[in-house]
């Protein structure tokens, strides 16, 4: 019954791929760092790649197309 609280202790982001397709742009960003899931708990590492898409005509903002665990 407790509300979840996540504390991002450290985060680094690196663009690892970009592709311009006919109808959309696709970018992959690798996020690494440390998070704490509970108050007073030790921070744990995370390593994820987020894939984001945006229409080539910029009619919408970037949207998350998928997230995968890395490392």
């Amino acid at each position: 019954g407790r509300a979840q609280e996540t504390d991002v202790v450290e985060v680094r982001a690196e663009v690892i791929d970009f592709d311009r397709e006919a109808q959309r742009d696709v970018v992959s960003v690798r996020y690494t760092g440390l998070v704490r899931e509970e108050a007073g708990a030790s921070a744990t590492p995370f390593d994820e790649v987020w894939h984001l898409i945006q229409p080539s005509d910029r009619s919408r903002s970037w949207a998350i197309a998928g997230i995968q665990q890395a490392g």
Side-chain angles (χ1 to χ4, degrees):
R2 292 185 351 213
Q4 181 174 346
E5 179 180 317
T6 301
D7 180 22
V8 179
V9 177
E10 178 181 309
V11 66
R12 291 174 300 282
E14 175 187 5
V15 173
I16 58 173
D17 193 31
F18 176 80
D19 190 26
R20 179 156 281 152
E21 299 175 353
Q23 300 296 317
R24 66 183 186 171
D25 293 338
V26 181
V27 66
S28 297
V29 181
R30 185 175 189 176
Y31 292 97
T32 57
L34 298 168
V35 294
R36 184 177 298 117
E37 300 290 342
E38 295 180 17
S42 296
T44 57
F46 68 91
D47 189 349
E48 300 176 341
V49 175
W50 290 31
H51 304 285
L52 304 138
I53 58 173
Q54 181 182 53
S56 296
D57 65 4
R58 306 294 187 258
S59 60
R60 290 186 310 225
S61 297
W62 289 96
I64 298 171
I67 299 173
Q68 70 186 96
Q69 301 301 307

